Amino acid sequence: MRGGVIGVAQMGPIAKSESRPQVVKRLIDMLKEAKGRNCRFVVFPELALTTFFPRWVYQLGDPELEAFFETEMPGPETKPLFETAAELGIGFYLGYAEKTKGKHYNTAILTDGTGKIIGKYRKVHLPGHVEPDPSRKGEHLEKRYFDIGNLGFPVYEALEGRVGMAICNDRRWPETYRVMGLQGAELITLGYNTPVGLGEPFQAAALANFHNSLTMQAGAYHNACWVAAAAKCGNEEGFEMIGQSMIIAPTGEVVAQCSSLEDEVISARCDFDQAQYFKREIFNFARHRRPEAYGLITERIGAGDPLPPVESF
Ligand code: CDV
């Protein structure tokens, strides 16, 4: 079978005081559990090596802030994860904070079953703010700490098929899935840290789980691909984050879902030929998609222009 049994390794909270080796041990334990479930690939969360530090205000260059970033991957502390993955013959998606050539990215990598990195993605849709605002119940300062990803949404050859990556807020944007869908993605992997209770209006906190599944199920269905998504969740340093890690079929159905807010592995048999069926029969882009008939509206908005005038008929 192309594809195969895919695992999602949800993580409970990571304390600020937790060391990298302690976190890496948690990842290794879940990798072993995934092997016991016959997985050939595992998805870990966004920023899976550290606590979700964009909730705190740091001055740029503060050594405490810089210590959350990896300057090499694998480095001495993450190497055991790669070695275990190679021993077990499992590939993985791992999110982490990357520092390279003076730039800071919210990054994810893809490895094959030998522990070799075969793909990289840097988060494009950075949520939150640059400047802190004490009137908010909590900060989300990704725009302060990260540069916008500069790799687009590449799709890589893996698991005898096509695999893409996204990170957290990206999953809310149809463009994320469509750009990869147009490249034939059969599996989209992603990790997330989704805080709730920061004073969101319109019941947004109560709807956080609904919006999580809504966006990913729609993305999977509209692009006829599998989606495997891993949360870091629970009460992390006094801040609540949603769990609900899941695996979604190209039909849009949730086929596996975490039930805890702790470290938890789920798995599902992800047959890429099922994705091909829907790419051929329903979302056959070549036969049915009509970009030439859509007009230029999305281009105008994308360019930051004001909204175009409404047509009169
Ligand atoms: N880490 C994230 O990107 N979190 C966002 C929150 C801030 C809305 C998310 O989309 O879940």
Side-chain angles (χ1 to χ4, degrees):
M1 185 196 358
R2 294 185 319 107
V5 181
I6 306 295
V8 162
Q10 173 175 283
M11 298 182 80
I14 300 179
K16 196 179 187 180
S17 59
E18 218 167 319
S19 69
R20 287 288 199 291
Q22 284 172 319
V23 176
V24 167
K25 181 177 179 313
R26 284 169 61 182
L27 300 178
I28 288 174
D29 286 347
M30 288 199 283
L31 213 49
K32 289 179 180 165
E33 190 180 335
K35 181 67 184 177
R37 288 167 169 261
N38 228 4
C39 294
R40 61 183 304 211
F41 190 86
V42 170
V43 181
F44 292 116
E46 170 193 38
L47 299 176
L49 298 173
T50 62
T51 196
F52 191 73
F53 60 88
R55 68 169 67 96
W56 292 304
V57 185
Y58 291 101
Q59 293 312 312
L60 300 184
D62 183 331
E64 190 175 315
L65 170 67
E66 296 300 323
F68 291 120
F69 288 82
E70 309 295 316
T71 52
E72 52 180 335
M73 188 55 67
E77 290 167 328
T78 44
K79 211 163 167 231
L81 175 67
F82 287 72
E83 287 168 348
T84 307
E87 277 163 30
L88 300 175
I90 300 187
F92 61 85
Y93 163 114
L94 177 74
Y96 64 100
E98 177 193 21
K99 181 177 168 182
T100 177
K101 298 178 187 157
K103 298 274 190 190
H104 296 74
Y105 297 106
N106 189 338
T107 295
I109 48 159
L110 192 67
T111 72
D112 66 11
T114 70
K116 185 176 152 214
I117 296 175
I118 55 166
K120 181 178 271 193
Y121 167 70
R122 292 177 176 145
K123 187 172 181 177
V124 167
H125 301 101
L126 297 174
H129 308 92
V130 175
E131 294 303 330
D133 175 355
S135 72
R136 290 189 198 106
K137 279 196 183 164
E139 298 291 352
H140 195 106
L141 297 169
E142 284 196 57
K143 280 190 162 64
R144 181 181 183 88
Y145 301 134
F146 297 119
D147 293 284
I148 295 171
N150 60 353
L151 302 175
F153 284 99
V155 165
Y156 296 98
E157 263 180 46
L159 306 170
E160 290 95 43
R162 292 183 170 222
V163 179
M165 291 177 277
I167 301 179
C168 197
N169 192 250
D170 289 323
R171 76 193 188 289
R172 302 185 192 276
W173 299 85
E175 294 90 337
T176 297
Y177 306 89
R178 183 46 53 98
V179 169
M180 289 189 267
L182 286 168
Q183 298 171 76
E186 294 167 302
L187 168 67
I188 293 178
T189 53
L190 67 92
Y192 57 95
N193 286 252
T194 297
V196 279
L198 302 183
E200 300 88 346
F202 312 119
Q203 295 196 61
L207 297 174
N209 283 305
F210 168 63
H211 290 152
N212 185 48
S213 57
L214 173 74
T215 52
M216 296 195 295
Q217 289 181 260
Y221 177 64
H222 287 150
N223 294 282
C225 63
W226 294 86
V227 171
K232 177 143 68 59
C233 59
N235 188 312
E236 195 179 73
E237 301 289 355
F239 294 87
E240 299 292 344
M241 297 191 292
I242 66 163
Q244 207 193 31
S245 303
M246 59 177 77
I247 301 173
I248 302 158
T251 53
E253 291 165 290
V254 176
V255 292
Q257 184 174 317
C258 284
S259 54
S260 77
L261 293 173
E262 297 165 5
D263 289 7
E264 181 180 345
V265 179
I266 53 169
S267 58
R269 192 175 171 276
C270 301
D271 184 348
F272 285 179
D273 287 342
Q274 187 178 339
Q276 285 306 324
Y277 173 81
F278 288 98
K279 284 181 195 296
R280 203 169 49 242
E281 299 299 328
I282 312 280
F283 293 106
N284 187 322
F285 291 164
R287 282 179 56 213
H288 308 305
R289 203 170 159 268
R290 289 287 167 260
E292 71 281 6
Y294 298 155
L296 295 172
I297 286 175
T298 51
E299 271 177 39
R300 286 189 198 137
I301 293 171
D305 291 345
L307 288 176
V310 178
E311 305 274 342
S312 53
F313 183 68

